[in-house]
Amino acid sequence: MENPFEAYPSIFVVDDDLAIAKMLSVILQMNLFNATAYGCPLEALAAARESAPDYCISDIAMPAMSGIELAIKIRQEMPMCKVLLFSGEDSSSELVKNAVAQGHRFDLVQKPIRPEHLISALQSL
């Protein structure tokens, strides 16, 4: 069966809460993105190495690899991929500050994300 979203920009949605990743993927598909949900950043990175997405949206606070670490690797290996980070945890601000101090800059949105805000944030990348 063919993927009806294949012609649209590809986007990986990464959150260790897979239900959130899947919900955001559905919202993005409704807005003409070829969205794929991942519950593990390491799986998303492996998939990106196989076929680089146009966009990657990632939660910041995750086990195994933070969203910031994922974003840095994706930017290094796939510089054309646009990255948007999101978080609902105050502890994430420290991770962002550390990344900025190391010369990295990321676009960030706060959870919960309203669908129209998510689409707007992606379009502004």
Side-chain angles (χ1 to χ4, degrees), residues 5 7 16 19 34 39 41 44 49 57-58 65 75 82 94 107-108 114 118 122:
F5 300 102
D16 57 313
N34 180 8
R49 287 174 172 152
I57 301 175
S58 180
M65 172 185 274
R75 283 189 171 165
K82 296 176 176 104
E94 198 60 39
D107 290 286
L108 179 66
R114 296 180 52 91
L118 175 62
L122 285 169

Side-chain angles (χ1 to χ4, degrees), residues 12 36-38 40-53 74 78:
F12 286 4
T36 306
Y38 292 92
C40 172
L42 297 173
E43 289 175 9
L45 182 59
R49 287 174 172 152
E50 291 288 319
S51 179
I74 284 179
M78 294 142 254

Side-chain angles (χ1 to χ4, degrees), residues 63-125:
M65 172 185 274
S66 76
I68 291 176
E69 292 168 318
L70 174 63
I72 291 169
K73 287 203 175 287
I74 284 179
R75 283 189 171 165
Q76 288 171 343
E77 297 179 32
M78 294 142 254
M80 298 304 291
C81 181
K82 296 176 176 104
V83 178
L84 179 66
L85 298 174
F86 63 90
S87 180
E89 298 183 24
D90 291 334
S91 61
S92 297
S93 64
E94 198 60 39
L95 292 171
V96 172
K97 286 178 188 174
N98 290 339
V100 169
Q102 294 174 15
H104 301 285
R105 186 188 150 302
F106 301 104
D107 290 286
L108 179 66
V109 293
Q110 294 294 320
K111 285 183 185 177
I113 304 171
R114 296 180 52 91
E116 61 273 10
H117 186 231
L118 175 62
I119 301 305
S120 175
L122 285 169
Q123 291 172 339
S124 71
L125 292 176

